[in-house]
Amino acid sequence: MLYAILCYEAEDIGWWSSALDDAIMNDRARRESGLAIRGEIGPVVWLMPTTTALTIRSGRRRVVLDGPYAETKEQLLGLYVVDCDSLTEAIDTAMALAQGSGTMEIRPIRQFRDTGSAGEFASRLRRTSRSAHKRDAP
Amino acid sequence: MTDIAWIDAALTAARPQVLAALLRYFRDLETAEEAFQEASLRALNHWSTNGPPRDPAAWLIFVARNYALDEVRRNKRLDQLPDEAVLSDVGDTQDELAERLDNAHYRDDILRLLFICCHPSLPATQQIALALRVVSGLTVPEIARAFLVSESAMEQRITRAKRRVAAARVPFETPGPVERRRRLETVAAMIYLLFNEGYSASGGDVHVRIPLCEEAIRLARLLLRLFPSEPEIMGLTALLLLQHARAKARIDASGAIVLLEDQDRRLWNQELISEGLVLVEKALRHRRPGPYQVQAAIAAVHSRAQTPQETDWAEIERLYAALERLQPSPVVTLNRAVAVSKVHGPTRALELIEPLQAPLANYFHFYGVRGALLMQLGRKDEARADFDRAISLARTAAEAAHIRMNLDRLSA
């Protein structure tokens, strides 16, 4: 079954310095690669700071607001999609990915649809993704 | 990543909010800083054995406040000081503390803390130094190194700045909209200044200065998170991100400046550029243009061009014209002239900057730009005179080296 692992943490902790940020990202990549080799890890999404977010509130009129939907102390920083045989395995996987102090939410995925353009999408994403950027740099 | 590294980062991240809250309680920067310091030490011990708390900022405020209260009580026994003067609104229960943390008060608290650091009574260099010390928590030796001055000189500068802001007595009431806007503008200007301090440095000290740029970006994001609908703060943040994205390409291996059109664009940080571009677009939706937004929009045009030839100079010219209307200055006109020369040729650009010689008589870039325009027109002697003048005005070795390259081209 597919599970989403949603990662929450105070986002400004990673803002502090590029050195620390790099250390976090490298650590993350190392943890991910182990799972990727076993084919258990699917899409990985890391989100930009909430300062870039907009919120659309639906109602009688749709309103566009600046900022994230929820004003909380921990922000949704990103998510993994993993393939695990059991919830126990999903918990183990999340533990292996866990870093720092954040919170992870494990949510079984009800439907995961490939809309047909996933491959093309992934190659477009590579342009903005940090790991791609880092790999290309000498 | 080790736990200690995480705790360190969490302490730094919580610092502005915690200090701002402590400043509200104790109305004294020294007391607030000392209490934060003590709480941080306890956090190092406590968090590494018991794990981090759910809300690090609340934990730190609570521990720091109790420590400072104990200190004040102890001093009172020793000196018989009247405590009312020192303790303004302490004595809240923990419930009230939690409530205060959750309500919107803390935005104005943090804004006040930032504003105090760049109080108009302080000269620019003291503002930056104080903000780095108080808000960012950099140590005095770190700041001294970034400014290339001795530790004792920096210590003195910060002490003097603290004394001045204490005397300035920034009021603690919640500011009205006009005052809030003034504070936001002052703080934004300080962040911009801090960034430029890191950005304009070059040559051998460039690696030392990059933290100043990163710090400015962190403060800009912090400000934007507090005031998420302020288009100028979006513009400022975008501007810093887009400029900083080119940091790696700006200086070559020998420490010389690489001009925008000569930069290896593959070295540009696409992640920072994407973030900057989103923020520019977000800001423009508000249709309340301001100088930071326009400058960010200019940087965005450059960032979108994959090669220098793809640069939309006509758009840049229009944007500089808009900036001239918002914030008229000879430097802005000089920059517009560069865009004009790309679109309409050097003659038109020369006409545009002719009246600028008087106001920019001692401005390095004026002679650099005019010299380059004259060189394009084949007026070699005049170009050489301008380049010589530019070299005499250069502030860094890298600036001078770049002009010398042009001089070499002239004699070739």
Side-chain angles (χ1 to χ4, degrees), chain A residues 9-21 23-25 27 30-31 48-54 64-68 71 73-75 99-103 127-131 133-134 137-138, chain B residues 1 3 5-6 9-10 12-14 17 52 54-56 101-102 106-107 136-138 210 214-215 218 221-222 224-225 228-230 234 237 248 266-271 274-275 278-279 282 285-286 306:
Chain A
E9 190 169 0
E11 63 180 345
D12 43 8
I13 288 179
W15 293 357
W16 178 238
S17 80
S18 54
L20 180 68
D21 200 39
I24 295 174
M25 292 311 263
D27 180 57
R30 192 177 52 77
R31 289 162 193 270
M48 281 192 196
T50 55
T51 45
T52 58
L54 288 173
V64 182
L65 301 165
D66 291 303
E71 226 184 279
K73 297 191 168 66
E74 292 184 330
Q75 289 78 35
Q99 288 178 303
S101 68
T103 309
R127 276 184 51 211
T128 51
S129 108
R130 173 195 310 239
S131 50
H133 176 82
K134 284 274 154 66
Chain B
M1 187 177 58
D3 281 346
W6 181 85
T12 314
Q17 192 188 341
R54 191 79 194 120
D55 184 345
L101 267 178
D102 283 331
Y106 80 90
R107 296 179 185 198
S136 309
L138 264 61
I210 280 180
E214 289 181 348
E215 193 46 49
R218 198 179 79 99
R221 281 180 178 152
L222 172 74
L224 182 54
R225 212 164 55 169
S229 305
E230 287 293 334
M234 294 176 204
T237 312
K248 266 194 187 140
R266 286 169 306 176
L267 294 178
W268 289 2
N269 183 330
Q270 289 302 327
E271 195 176 86
S274 315
E275 190 183 336
V278 170
L279 285 174
K282 244 182 101 170
R285 288 176 47 88
H286 286 262
Q306 304 214 345

Side-chain angles (χ1 to χ4, degrees), chain B residues 314-335:
Chain B
E315 175 69 8
I316 291 180
E317 208 254 279
R318 274 192 295 277
L319 287 166
Y320 270 118
L323 189 58
E324 253 182 327
R325 282 193 296 277
L326 284 166
Q327 202 178 53
S329 101
V331 173
V332 173
T333 309
L334 183 68
N335 279 302

Side-chain angles (χ1 to χ4, degrees), chain A residues 58-137:
Chain A
S58 296
R60 190 176 294 173
R61 261 185 70 229
R62 296 215 167 102
V63 216
V64 182
L65 301 165
D66 291 303
Y69 161 61
E71 226 184 279
T72 50
K73 297 191 168 66
E74 292 184 330
Q75 289 78 35
L76 176 62
L77 301 192
L79 61 97
Y80 295 100
V81 176
V82 296
D83 184 9
C84 297
D85 290 333
S86 65
L87 186 57
T88 312
E89 203 189 306
I91 295 170
D92 289 343
T93 305
M95 296 274 199
L97 290 166
Q99 288 178 303
S101 68
T103 309
M104 292 173 132
E105 180 182 321
I106 300 171
R107 288 273 285 275
I109 290 179
R110 185 170 167 187
Q111 200 177 67
F112 186 86
R113 239 192 334 221
D114 181 358
T115 49
S117 54
E120 190 249 347
F121 225 79
S123 64
R124 245 190 291 166
L125 278 171
R126 268 179 56 82
R127 276 184 51 211
T128 51
S129 108
R130 173 195 310 239
S131 50
H133 176 82
K134 284 274 154 66
R135 251 197 308 279
D136 293 346

Side-chain angles (χ1 to χ4, degrees), chain B residues 297-367:
Chain B
I298 293 168
V301 174
H302 286 299
S303 304
R304 283 202 195 91
Q306 304 214 345
T307 61
Q309 292 72 35
E310 280 172 51
T311 310
D312 186 349
W313 284 106
E315 175 69 8
I316 291 180
E317 208 254 279
R318 274 192 295 277
L319 287 166
Y320 270 118
L323 189 58
E324 253 182 327
R325 282 193 296 277
L326 284 166
Q327 202 178 53
S329 101
V331 173
V332 173
T333 309
L334 183 68
N335 279 302
R336 181 157 79 89
V338 175
V340 165
S341 81
K342 303 276 185 188
V343 184
H344 306 290
T347 312
R348 283 274 292 279
L350 266 182
E351 284 165 19
L352 190 64
I353 65 171
E354 221 41 68
L356 304 180
Q357 175 148 30
L360 298 180
N362 293 312
Y363 190 58
F364 165 80
H365 291 291
F366 174 77
Y367 296 98

Side-chain angles (χ1 to χ4, degrees), chain B residues 104-363:
Chain B
H105 258 306
Y106 80 90
R107 296 179 185 198
D108 285 318
D109 280 352
I110 297 179
L111 182 61
R112 178 185 303 108
L113 177 72
L114 286 161
F115 178 68
I116 282 177
C117 293
C118 51
H119 195 270
S121 70
L122 296 177
T125 49
Q126 284 188 18
Q127 292 183 7
I128 304 176
L130 193 61
L132 288 173
R133 179 70 205 98
V134 173
V135 187
S136 309
L138 264 61
T139 63
V140 172
E142 279 171 334
I143 305 170
R145 230 176 301 141
F147 281 93
L148 310 172
V149 301
S150 73
E151 280 177 33
S152 60
M154 186 48 76
E155 183 81 63
Q156 225 175 32
R157 196 185 286 182
I158 291 172
T159 311
R160 222 177 294 141
K162 279 186 183 165
R163 216 176 296 137
R164 274 207 199 173
V165 293
R169 296 192 176 279
V170 176
F172 277 85
E173 293 78 48
T174 302
V178 175
E179 174 63 12
R180 187 179 290 127
R181 179 146 307 279
R182 183 175 81 98
R183 289 185 184 183
L184 256 178
E185 279 169 12
T186 313
V187 171
M190 180 270 287
I191 295 174
Y192 186 56
L193 212 65
L194 169 61
F195 183 84
N196 280 331
E197 189 66 30
Y199 189 73
S200 58
S202 51
D205 54 354
V206 68
H207 297 297
V208 188
R209 298 288 187 116
I210 280 180
L212 293 186
C213 295
E214 289 181 348
E215 193 46 49
I217 289 173
R218 198 179 79 99
L219 291 178
R221 281 180 178 152
L222 172 74
L223 202 59
L224 182 54
R225 212 164 55 169
L226 296 177
F227 300 93
S229 305
E230 287 293 334
E232 270 297 82
I233 306 301
M234 294 176 204
L236 171 70
T237 312
L239 176 62
L240 306 192
L241 289 165
L242 292 170
Q243 306 268 48
H244 192 51
R246 302 188 205 122
K248 266 194 187 140
R250 277 185 76 229
I251 308 286
D252 70 13
S254 64
I257 293 180
V258 184
L259 287 188
L260 197 54
E261 51 190 61
D262 302 322
Q263 288 176 9
D264 179 354
R265 298 186 177 216
R266 286 169 306 176
L267 294 178
W268 289 2
N269 183 330
Q270 289 302 327
E271 195 176 86
L272 295 181
I273 289 177
S274 315
E275 190 183 336
L277 293 179
V278 170
L279 285 174
V280 171
E281 214 185 320
K282 244 182 101 170
L284 295 180
R285 288 176 47 88
H286 286 262
R287 304 193 175 283
R288 271 163 51 204
Y292 293 124
Q293 290 172 75
V294 176
Q295 290 177 80
I298 293 168
V301 174
H302 286 299
S303 304
R304 283 202 195 91
Q306 304 214 345
T307 61
Q309 292 72 35
E310 280 172 51
T311 310
D312 186 349
W313 284 106
E315 175 69 8
I316 291 180
E317 208 254 279
R318 274 192 295 277
L319 287 166
Y320 270 118
L323 189 58
E324 253 182 327
R325 282 193 296 277
L326 284 166
Q327 202 178 53
S329 101
V331 173
V332 173
T333 309
L334 183 68
N335 279 302
R336 181 157 79 89
V338 175
V340 165
S341 81
K342 303 276 185 188
V343 184
H344 306 290
T347 312
R348 283 274 292 279
L350 266 182
E351 284 165 19
L352 190 64
I353 65 171
E354 221 41 68
L356 304 180
Q357 175 148 30
L360 298 180
N362 293 312
Y363 190 58

